[in-house]
Amino acid sequence: DVKVTQSSRYLVKRTGEKVFLECVQDMDHENMFWYRQDPGLGLRLIYFSYDVKMKEKGDIPEGYSVSREKKERFSLILESASTNQTSMYLCATLRDRGVQPQHFGDGTRLSIL
Amino acid sequence: AQKVTQAQTEISVVEKEDVTLDCVYETRDTTYYLFWYKQPPSGELVFLIRRNSFDEQNEISGRYSWNFQKSTSSFNFTITASQVVDSAVYFCALLQLTGANSKLTFGKGITLSVRP
């Protein structure tokens, strides 16, 4: 069965801190995605990656960066956290380019104080 | 540009009632795919169904059914005889195939509460 693991379910950080959110998958999927989910806004794509060391901006990349040094791990980085980045963050994976459904992790609820 | 509209934001029903969740989409593509996901309180999005643009057959899976109508650009989801465990946020999503990549556009979600 597909398994997408996000390192933390809940995280509290302070304004200005550098924050790392980690996502690990065990299915050898090429594609990985980071979304943020906010009430009334649904899921919005931050960044995605189609291969190791490859990354593409999504719809709302400002204030974020990503790293994919290994196929199974995709990290989302908040370079200098701000309160408006308080949100639920969801990682997803997808095999090939395909039309199969994305597989999601449980999410990380991040609070920036 | 792609767009998915879920006009209902919150729905509350009593157990055993039927409920329909609406989804309207916009796309210029002739080939596209539509999805429904369920997000229970635990947080993980659970895939429910995928439908491609060439298959307008309605689908039934137990208490769940989906009505895809290209003429109205709608892909509505009905839960028959709702149960408390159906309480969740439901997302409709549209998949666009862009060159070598694919992009999923989500609606804003509908929060369904089923009361005992």
Side-chain angles (χ1 to χ4, degrees):
Chain A
D1 201 14
V2 173
K3 186 68 176 173
V4 181
T5 304
Q6 294 185 229
S7 53
S8 305
R9 289 300 305 272
Y10 301 93
L11 204 55
V12 180
K13 296 290 182 181
R14 295 205 174 274
T15 303
E17 279 193 67
K18 190 170 185 176
V19 181
F20 292 85
L21 302 184
E22 306 287 346
C23 176
V24 177
Q25 51 118 343
D26 65 357
M27 302 83 64
D28 204 35
H29 284 181
E30 290 79 5
N31 307 287
M32 298 187 75
F33 306 82
W34 274 108
Y35 295 89
R36 66 176 280 177
Q37 180 182 359
D38 300 289
L41 296 177
L43 275 73
R44 293 178 293 167
L45 182 63
I46 305 172
Y47 265 98
F48 55 98
S49 168
Y50 292 104
D51 203 348
V52 175
K53 297 190 186 296
M54 302 288 287
K55 60 184 179 183
E56 296 280 344
K57 292 181 180 179
D59 298 319
I60 51 164
E62 296 78 19
Y64 303 94
S65 62
V66 290
S67 172
R68 192 161 181 208
E69 296 297 318
K70 293 185 178 180
K71 192 174 186 179
E72 66 269 20
R73 184 181 296 270
F74 191 35
S75 304
L76 180 69
I77 304 160
L78 286 68
E79 296 289 344
S80 178
S82 63
T83 54
N84 63 13
Q85 292 178 309
T86 291
S87 186
M88 168 76 105
Y89 290 87
L90 290 158
C91 175
T93 72
L94 177 67
R95 190 183 67 189
D96 302 325
R97 165 178 178 260
V99 299
Q100 294 81 14
Q102 294 182 10
H103 298 275
F104 285 82
D106 288 343
T108 296
R109 192 166 292 282
L110 175 65
S111 296
I112 307 296
L113 304 178
Chain B
Q2 298 215 131
K3 187 176 179 182
V4 176
T5 302
Q6 295 181 263
Q8 305 149 309
T9 54
E10 294 185 16
I11 300 175
S12 182
V13 299
V14 176
E15 213 171 14
K16 297 185 183 176
E17 280 187 39
D18 298 347
V19 58
T20 295
L21 311 181
D22 297 333
C23 174
V24 174
Y25 63 91
E26 294 176 29
T27 181
R28 292 182 179 178
D29 295 343
T30 54
T31 301
Y32 52 89
Y33 294 78
L34 294 160
F35 295 79
W36 275 95
Y37 281 89
K38 173 183 179 180
Q39 185 181 40
S42 59
E44 178 186 355
L45 266 75
V46 177
F47 164 72
L48 295 178
I49 191 172
R50 179 189 69 205
R51 173 66 72 228
N52 75 58
S53 53
F54 298 107
D55 181 2
E56 286 195 71
Q57 267 195 324
N58 292 329
E59 179 149 344
I60 298 174
S61 176
R63 295 184 297 107
Y64 295 172
S65 62
W66 290 268
N67 183 353
F68 176 33
Q69 298 215 347
K70 286 180 76 171
S71 60
T72 55
S73 297
S74 65
F75 186 41
N76 296 336
F77 173 28
T78 297
I79 302 174
T80 303
S82 60
Q83 299 176 3
V84 173
V85 293
D86 296 326
S87 297
V89 182
Y90 290 87
F91 291 97
C92 180
L94 173 63
L95 182 70
Q96 175 185 21
L97 300 172
T98 58
N101 306 320
S102 62
K103 181 182 175 185
L104 202 55
T105 300
F106 285 86
K108 294 182 179 180
I110 302 169
T111 300
L112 174 64
S113 298
V114 181
R115 308 186 306 276

